[in-house]
Amino acid sequence: MTELVVTLDLDGVTDKAGLMDRCARALQLPDWFGRNWDALADSLSDHDVWPEDAVEKGLLIVVRNWQPYAKARPQEWETAQEVFAQAADVASALTVALALGGSSEEGSDQPG
């Protein structure tokens, strides 16, 4: 069975509030999601708030376009990585992967 893949696109995110909003949208977190590091850690490791089918299949979160945010807010990004890593340690069905490279359209202009 293949993992459920959720893309967390951080394009245009410049601060923690933006990161939390993107996480809430991408992961379809409940309205009561607190939009802070502890709430994110709790949500990532709590199967009850994961998208449908993720518990049975496993959840792969692919983080894209993270480099500008990481450069703009290095301390916040370091904390975000710690939260992702700790959640993945707690929830064995969770994998968080950082995508390298640019947009999904990259390479589309190469000769074929």
Side-chain angles (χ1 to χ4, degrees), residues 73-102:
R73 303 283 184 133
Q75 289 180 317
E76 284 180 16
W77 178 243
E78 187 173 322
T79 301
Q81 289 180 90
E82 290 171 9
V83 168
F84 292 143
Q86 288 172 359
D89 286 345
V90 170
S92 61
L94 174 67
T95 302
V96 180
L98 302 181
L100 300 177

Side-chain angles (χ1 to χ4, degrees), residues 1-5 50 52-60 93:
M1 208 179 316
T2 304
E3 293 172 306
L4 177 68
V5 179
W50 284 10
E52 198 172 325
D53 296 334
V55 176
E56 296 82 27
K57 295 179 176 183
L59 179 60
L60 169 60

Side-chain angles (χ1 to χ4, degrees), residues 13-106:
V13 169
T14 58
D15 59 15
K16 178 181 165 188
L19 172 69
M20 294 297 164
D21 286 344
R22 292 290 173 87
C23 288
R25 264 193 308 230
L27 298 168
Q28 302 167 5
L29 297 177
D31 291 338
W32 50 260
F33 171 61
R35 287 177 164 73
N36 60 55
W37 297 121
D38 288 337
L40 180 59
D42 290 346
S43 296
L44 289 171
S45 57
D46 182 357
H47 296 157
D48 292 336
V49 298
W50 284 10
E52 198 172 325
D53 296 334
V55 176
E56 296 82 27
K57 295 179 176 183
L59 179 60
L60 169 60
I61 301 172
V62 178
V63 185
R64 298 181 63 237
N65 299 312
W66 54 271
Q67 295 94 332
Y69 174 61
K71 286 180 185 171
R73 303 283 184 133
Q75 289 180 317
E76 284 180 16
W77 178 243
E78 187 173 322
T79 301
Q81 289 180 90
E82 290 171 9
V83 168
F84 292 143
Q86 288 172 359
D89 286 345
V90 170
S92 61
L94 174 67
T95 302
V96 180
L98 302 181
L100 300 177
S103 72
S104 60
E105 296 175 19
E106 189 174 299

